[in-house]
Amino acid sequence: MEENVNKAIQVIGFSGNTDFHESLLGSGNDLRSNFVLLRSGCSHEEFLKTLQNVDADEVMLVDLDRVAVNTLSTFVQAYRKSCRKEHLYYVSGQKRKLWFGFMDVALWRGDRVITDSPVLIGQKSLFMRSYAGQDLDDNLLRAVSYSLQKAYVKFSRLETTVTWKETTATSNPAVNYLWRVPFQFLVSGRFFTTLFDSGNRARRDMVYRMLMLLFGIFVFFYMPYVSKDYGISGDEFVDHRHSGYVLDYFMKGDKAALNQPKTALHLYGNSMQVVAAVVANVIGADDVYAVRHVVCAFVGVLGVIVIGLMGLRFGGGLCGLLSMLMLFFSPRFFGHSMNNLKDIPFAVGYLVAIFYFVRLFDRYPVIKLRHVIGAVLGIALALGTRSGGLLLFPYLVMYGGLFYILWVGFKEFYKFLKYRKEVENILFLIVIVLFVGYFLSIVTWPFAMARPFTNVVFSLKEFTNYNIGLRTIFEGQQMMSNMLPVHYAPKYLLIASPLVVVIGFFGYFIFMVSRKKEFSLLSFFILFSLVFPVFWVIYQKSNLYGGIRHLLFVMPFMVLLAARFWTLLLSVAPKYLKLVSAFGFIGLLFLPARHMAVNHPNDYVYFNELVGGVKGAYGDYETDYYYNSLKKGVDWFKANVDYKGRPVTIVTNHSANLQHYFRKDTNVTVIYSRYYDKYSKDWDYMIFGNVYINSYQLKNGLFPVKEGFLHSVDVDGLPMCVIGERTSKKDYGAILLEKEKKYAEAEAELEDYLKAHPWNEEMWMRLARMYYSAHKHEDALRCAGEALKWQPQLMDALNIKALSALELGRYATAHQAVDGMLAQNDVASSSYYLKGLIYYTEGKDKEALDQVNKALRYNGRNDQALALGGDILKRNRSYAKAIETYEKVVRAKKADEKVLLSLAECYCRVKNYKMLEQVTTLLHEQGRDKVTLRKIEIRAFLQQKKSAEARELLLQMKDVKEDSELMLLWGLYELTEGRRASALEYAKKATELDPHDWEASELQNVLSKGGDIRL
């Protein structure tokens, strides 16, 4: 039995006794074929050479100073009973301190239960990953077991009755492993001379780990330090204000944090924002936003460190180092890590949780307490920032379930009673992590705490259905964020990630196909963590805006897969390909690094070479959507403009940010304006970010306007923020004249101004509006056209163009203008109403009604669309349905005189005289259109056979000429009096005045044929 065992498992014994070999081999036992004997303090090369010469697939490494030779077969027998190829087996007489029977409470040190074992048994391939040099530990077994723990090899304990000598060693190889060995290997030059030598793989891995440590230390200090250079993001003002509400909720009982209808911030977790607010309050910070940025940077640091650890777990030290480098040099992630306390904490929390979900089961059946804590904190950070963190709950259940299946085997997993212990332990672990993580995540979230078991889910549903549209640019098209195409998210991930990441991401799939072992539970989980959220936002048609910031949390997983690809190229490829890959990686990584160095602190304004970089993407995609460049613009303004000692007004598209930047300049007044409304305000200087600027203007050099231009903050030579001075206020003077109702003077003033400033699309649009209000439709159409020359998608100008063309009967032009509006926002109820109005005016009622229904689909309270729908129904004689529609407008208190008159006519048509009287009474008191009202009353009198009353009203209206309906009513009156010939003459006159008057035509036809008609 022992002989068979020794043939199957190669024993490598070692001893510190120099005479041990001779005494053992001279004892009369033929052990040469069963043992390989080494010195306890042998070199790594000697150990590795011994392993390489072993023919057996399995190896037993044994400390012969502590274990008797004749007991080895017992260890082998115990090993055979519970052998798992991916595990190494150890023995121990120590009892762990375990909570719940499976949770190891030792937090940080290596597992001494394993390093103190006198025996290790397992696959030779696992031992090949170890480092056994005496420079790590003078005991071979401790060096091997410690290094294999660091390599994430899984260990299991052998149950045996064999006794052995306990060790008294107290050495801790951690310092040697993390610093001394790799540092000496690096500075000696051997790292470079043996770069492609497989025998030094373990030592190189230690070097990469050391570099990870050094890079992590650098990042820890560098990122918070440079955060001072970054501007206040577009959301920070309201975010910080809400964090104050949260603090007031806990400290004063103020309930404002429970409901913020304008911003919906009560639906967000606030974990790191509250931390930042507390820190700012404690230190009495003058600039709370600087504190927020430092806190955000530290969260970003955590992300860089954790992705390194995740890469280390995924593919070793090189993979970990490359992961850190690629995430650090991902400009989008780095830039947002400076001032985005919404998306970065969520992204980092998501990453931390996923990493520790994996680590939870790495030492199973023993669970490390530190891994439980990590998983809990990851959930708390993610869910405590966004309700989307609930995704992590099914993730953990899925990973735990898949791990269970792999642990017991696919053919056995359904035998839950047989594996009851495993099922209970895994379920109990999942419940603990999710329960503690959930409640820790809501401790700074008042809305969630109010109803802990329902409000978080409510928040998730609200954001899933969040449908407020913000204007954005994608693929050169101006559109709303709630009408984005399905490929928005995946395309943005591909063009906003560094090319080194994109190539590595797709390249990894080649390895997954060609190397079966690459498809593992870990690789699947990483891929799932990346792909599923992207699929989900597409499936749910989620409202994305601000570039890719809402999906920043999946970018680290692209980085991980890419890092694994480059690691494999640099590890398993032929030597010449390794050199090419190394230079390729460095060259590709240089591209985003150059961008960050040249464009600091606007790093996040980044696009890769797939779209030609920022220059290729400018005008086709959003750039500085978070207003970061405003700070650098203000810094330039303060340094270069003489603005002290006099009142100065500055206009901007983000007033809250500029008010903070100029908070110490009491002579400066900051006012807000949309970019295309700025000249309607009174100001001296402007500082505008390029947010919501039209694509045409960006691509054709119309931003910034050259007149009054002072400076621009550029990224790769393209303006992100512009500073300008107002050279004339003649345009503003015209606006004041308009407000004083001096319309003719205002029009003349603007016409004169625009001769010298033809580029001012805003004033062309304002002049077009004035002309339209004055019923000068030709001039309105001309001015709207001039505005659209400079800004082809100016919505107000398109609207005036459509209305003016409609008034002039130029229906094709009107349709063209509305189509331009819908191309930018195809969920705009007002645009569908306008298109319906054009069709209605053309007499195309079916098409008009289709547009009205679309308008009401997107806004059921659109009173104009409801009224138009009533008009269409009325014209098609569906008076009862028209009444229902008009009454909706009345109930909404949006009914004007026209609607009330139409409603009155419908009441008359259906002979509801009680309601007719109520409406006509109101119209007599408030209405101005007495002619239409009289005609309705005449018809009502005729229908009720009140000829005298009808005649009296008809005579009162004898001065009204050329009115088809009035002629018809005269005809109906004559008919009631029995004068058919006179009635026929009136019917003919009505038809001549309006050939489309169906009622007059019908009356004429009936009377001509001698028929009768009922009123």
Side-chain angles (χ1 to χ4, degrees), residues 231-506:
I232 303 170
S233 74
D235 290 337
E236 276 197 271
F237 179 77
V238 292
D239 287 345
H240 176 65
R241 182 177 60 194
H242 185 73
S243 64
Y245 293 154
V246 173
L247 291 182
D248 287 344
Y249 173 83
F250 289 110
M251 299 176 68
K252 301 177 182 179
D254 190 331
K255 296 185 178 181
L258 293 175
N259 186 27
Q260 291 290 308
K262 289 185 178 180
T263 63
L265 287 177
H266 63 288
L267 300 176
Y268 285 89
N270 305 273
S271 54
M272 297 313 300
Q273 303 208 47
V274 172
V275 169
V278 170
V279 172
N281 289 344
V282 169
I283 66 176
D286 171 64
D287 189 351
V288 295
Y289 297 101
V291 175
R292 287 173 58 91
H293 294 176
V294 170
V295 171
C296 189
F298 274 120
V299 178
V301 169
L302 178 62
V304 174
I305 291 173
V306 172
I307 201 172
L309 296 174
M310 188 74 166
L312 185 67
R313 172 65 180 84
F314 189 25
L318 179 58
C319 186
L321 180 61
L322 298 185
S323 298
M324 294 180 76
L325 289 171
M326 284 194 287
L327 188 62
F328 179 82
F329 287 113
S330 291
R332 296 262 177 172
F333 184 88
F334 185 93
H336 279 280
S337 293
M338 298 296 109
N339 56 15
N340 184 349
L341 267 175
K342 278 183 179 176
D343 301 296
I344 286 298
F346 181 76
V348 173
Y350 185 79
L351 175 64
V352 170
I354 296 297
F355 171 64
Y356 280 106
F357 288 175
V358 173
R359 294 293 285 135
L360 276 176
F361 298 96
D362 275 351
R363 295 293 180 86
Y364 190 84
V366 174
I367 304 299
K368 291 287 186 179
L369 177 60
R370 66 172 180 265
H371 299 154
V372 176
I373 294 173
V376 165
L377 293 178
I379 291 174
L381 183 55
L383 183 56
T385 304
R386 288 188 185 277
S387 53
L390 286 175
L391 278 176
L392 293 168
F393 287 52
Y395 279 22
L396 179 56
V397 174
M398 179 188 73
Y399 189 84
L402 292 175
F403 175 82
Y404 163 76
I405 292 172
L406 293 177
W407 181 263
V408 303
F410 185 77
K411 295 181 179 180
E412 295 279 310
F413 78 92
Y414 61 89
K415 299 178 181 179
F416 300 117
L417 292 178
K418 179 179 178 180
Y419 299 103
R420 180 178 176 180
K421 181 179 179 181
E422 283 76 11
V423 172
E424 289 178 347
N425 287 349
I426 291 173
L427 286 178
F428 183 66
L429 176 64
I430 291 173
V431 169
I432 287 178
V433 170
L434 296 184
F435 183 83
V436 178
Y438 183 86
F439 281 96
L440 189 60
S441 69
I442 65 174
V443 294
T444 59
W445 188 355
F447 179 75
M449 290 184 67
R451 293 182 178 177
F453 297 104
T454 59
N455 275 359
V456 177
V457 177
F458 174 80
S459 170
L460 181 62
K461 289 180 179 178
E462 286 294 301
F463 281 118
T464 300
N465 299 316
Y466 190 68
N467 200 36
I468 295 177
L470 299 177
R471 194 170 301 281
T472 188
I473 306 174
F474 182 68
E475 294 181 337
Q477 299 296 316
Q478 208 94 21
M479 59 183 70
M480 304 303 289
S481 61
N482 54 358
M483 56 177 278
L484 296 171
V486 295
H487 64 283
Y488 176 89
K491 181 165 185 179
Y492 241 116
L493 281 171
L494 294 181
I495 65 177
S497 301
L499 200 57
V500 66
V501 174
V502 175
I503 291 174
F505 170 68
F506 285 107

Side-chain angles (χ1 to χ4, degrees), residues 91-105:
V91 295
S92 176
Q94 303 178 36
K95 286 189 177 180
R96 296 173 182 265
K97 184 179 179 182
L98 299 176
W99 288 355
F100 312 114
F102 64 89
M103 190 179 297
D104 187 354
V105 298

Side-chain angles (χ1 to χ4, degrees), residues 465-719:
N465 299 316
Y466 190 68
N467 200 36
I468 295 177
L470 299 177
R471 194 170 301 281
T472 188
I473 306 174
F474 182 68
E475 294 181 337
Q477 299 296 316
Q478 208 94 21
M479 59 183 70
M480 304 303 289
S481 61
N482 54 358
M483 56 177 278
L484 296 171
V486 295
H487 64 283
Y488 176 89
K491 181 165 185 179
Y492 241 116
L493 281 171
L494 294 181
I495 65 177
S497 301
L499 200 57
V500 66
V501 174
V502 175
I503 291 174
F505 170 68
F506 285 107
Y508 181 69
F509 288 97
I510 298 174
F511 280 105
M512 287 190 74
V513 172
S514 59
R515 289 166 57 92
K516 291 183 179 180
K517 63 181 181 180
E518 278 303 316
F519 191 79
S520 61
L521 176 58
L522 177 56
S523 63
F524 165 77
F525 195 45
I526 292 173
L527 187 61
F528 181 86
S529 301
L530 163 64
V531 173
F532 179 76
V534 179
F535 160 77
W536 189 249
V537 299
I538 294 173
Y539 176 75
Q540 290 289 335
K541 298 179 181 179
S542 298
N543 190 356
L544 302 176
Y545 50 86
I548 201 65
R549 73 179 184 88
H550 291 118
L551 284 176
L552 276 176
F553 68 98
V554 304
M555 292 183 75
F557 297 92
M558 282 185 69
V559 168
L560 281 169
L561 295 174
R564 180 61 176 162
F565 165 77
W566 291 107
T567 300
L568 289 169
L569 270 187
L570 296 170
S571 301
V572 303
K575 186 174 182 179
Y576 74 91
L577 190 55
K578 290 178 181 177
L579 287 171
V580 173
S581 302
F583 284 113
F585 176 83
I586 293 171
L588 290 170
L589 191 64
F590 172 77
L591 297 174
R594 182 213 66 84
H595 170 87
M596 294 170 67
V598 171
N599 298 304
H600 176 82
N602 293 301
D603 324 61
Y604 90 107
V605 181
Y606 171 79
F607 292 90
N608 65 31
E609 290 67 27
L610 291 176
V611 289
V614 176
K615 290 184 178 179
Y618 194 75
D620 287 337
Y621 301 91
E622 292 291 343
T623 50
D624 187 17
Y625 51 80
Y626 237 168
Y627 300 91
N628 182 73
S629 61
L630 288 179
K631 181 179 185 299
K632 199 170 182 180
V634 170
D635 291 343
W636 183 93
F637 181 90
K638 289 183 176 182
N640 295 277
V641 176
D642 182 16
Y643 71 100
K644 299 285 187 178
R646 60 188 174 97
V648 170
T649 300
I650 299 175
V651 67
T652 181
N653 50 354
H654 207 301
S655 56
N657 288 9
L658 258 67
Q659 285 167 357
H660 178 79
Y661 296 142
F662 286 105
R663 65 192 183 280
K664 296 182 180 180
D665 295 294
T666 56
N667 64 309
V668 174
T669 301
V670 176
I671 61 174
Y672 166 79
S673 174
R674 296 189 309 167
Y675 182 76
Y676 295 110
D677 291 337
K678 58 186 178 295
Y679 289 108
S680 302
K681 307 288 178 67
D682 185 12
W683 50 269
D684 305 301
Y685 297 95
M686 66 174 178
I687 302 178
F688 275 94
N690 69 353
V691 185
Y692 306 131
I693 308 299
N694 180 257
S695 173
Y696 177 85
Q697 293 192 316
L698 292 173
K699 296 171 75 171
N700 289 278
L702 300 176
F703 175 85
V705 175
K706 302 307 177 187
E707 184 172 339
F709 171 77
L710 296 176
H711 179 72
S712 65
V713 178
D714 298 345
V715 171
D716 287 347
L718 297 165

